[in-house]
Amino acid sequence: MISSIRGEVLSAGVGWVVVAVGGLGFRVEVRARDSGVHAGDYVGLHTQLVVREDSLTLFGFPAPEELEVFGFLIGVSGVGPRSALGVLSVLTPFEIAQAVSLEDEKPFRKVSGIGPKTAKVIAVQLAGKLQHMLLSEHDHVAGQVVSGSDAGVVRVAANVEQGLLGLGYPEAQAHA
């Protein structure tokens, strides 16, 4: 229904902003780290409107990948929009895709309100749905798009890194 919103910030707090659009002020729920904007700033957010019996709530994200992951997360049994927003406040879409591909629920347990059972459900129910995010993340190295055989090398390195993480190596060692 409302797929994006752009405008001047009228007010902001932890986890929300009010954006002026055509004489109206729309309250948008955002990740806590995105609420560092101030009145007078200009923002552009990709949004999803969540309709409940008693409310219409707009959730906004600076990147379309975050919105896509949000949609997948709220489709998971037991994960509501606030919990999904919490997951995206702690983990990037790439980190979520990586955890899901490894069926690793530990990263999800870092999120307030996500217990071990829900974390496992997230890892299982999203299996296979976020693979494209792993490839797209690793096809960009230091802000440059790689192509051809270089992209293949990057994918192999990413798979090796994921394998080492799955074996229990620390992230820094696996990356090296």
Side-chain angles (χ1 to χ4, degrees), residues 8-19 26-41 43 45 58 60 82 85 89:
E8 182 182 347
V9 174
L10 296 176
S11 60
V14 177
W16 60 272
V17 296
V18 175
V19 181
F26 288 89
R27 180 181 168 122
V28 183
E29 304 298 313
V30 296
R31 301 172 309 174
R33 65 178 178 231
D34 293 332
S35 57
V37 296
H38 304 287
D41 290 350
V43 295
L45 299 168
L58 201 56
R82 300 260 179 227
L85 188 63
S89 292

Side-chain angles (χ1 to χ4, degrees), residues 13-174:
V14 177
W16 60 272
V17 296
V18 175
V19 181
V21 178
L24 298 172
F26 288 89
R27 180 181 168 122
V28 183
E29 304 298 313
V30 296
R31 301 172 309 174
R33 65 178 178 231
D34 293 332
S35 57
V37 296
H38 304 287
D41 290 350
Y42 182 86
V43 295
L45 299 168
H46 302 275
T47 60
Q48 180 161 342
L49 180 65
V50 176
V51 179
R52 298 283 189 241
E53 274 184 30
D54 58 345
S55 70
L56 298 171
T57 308
L58 201 56
F59 291 86
F61 305 92
E65 297 82 16
E66 293 165 331
L67 178 63
E68 180 182 6
V69 171
F70 178 79
F72 283 124
L73 285 169
I74 62 174
V76 172
S77 174
V79 178
R82 300 260 179 227
S83 295
L85 188 63
V87 170
L88 285 161
S89 292
V90 173
L91 303 169
T92 67
F94 175 74
E95 291 169 332
I96 294 167
Q98 191 172 35
V100 167
S101 73
L102 297 171
E103 291 185 22
D104 181 12
E105 73 273 2
K106 286 183 231 128
F108 300 110
R109 285 195 243 156
K110 296 176 188 173
V111 179
S112 176
I114 302 286
K117 184 178 176 183
T118 304
K120 186 64 174 174
V121 170
I122 292 171
V124 170
Q125 286 191 7
L126 293 184
K129 295 181 180 176
L130 303 176
Q131 286 298 106
H132 65 284
M133 291 191 173
L134 289 173
L135 296 178
S136 63
E137 176 76 14
H138 285 292
D139 287 349
H140 295 80
V141 178
Q144 297 179 343
V145 176
V146 291
S147 59
S149 61
D150 289 341
V153 170
V154 170
R155 284 190 196 104
V156 169
N159 289 337
V160 170
E161 183 176 344
Q162 287 177 11
L164 291 171
L165 289 170
L167 291 171
Y169 281 84
E171 190 172 335
Q173 281 185 328

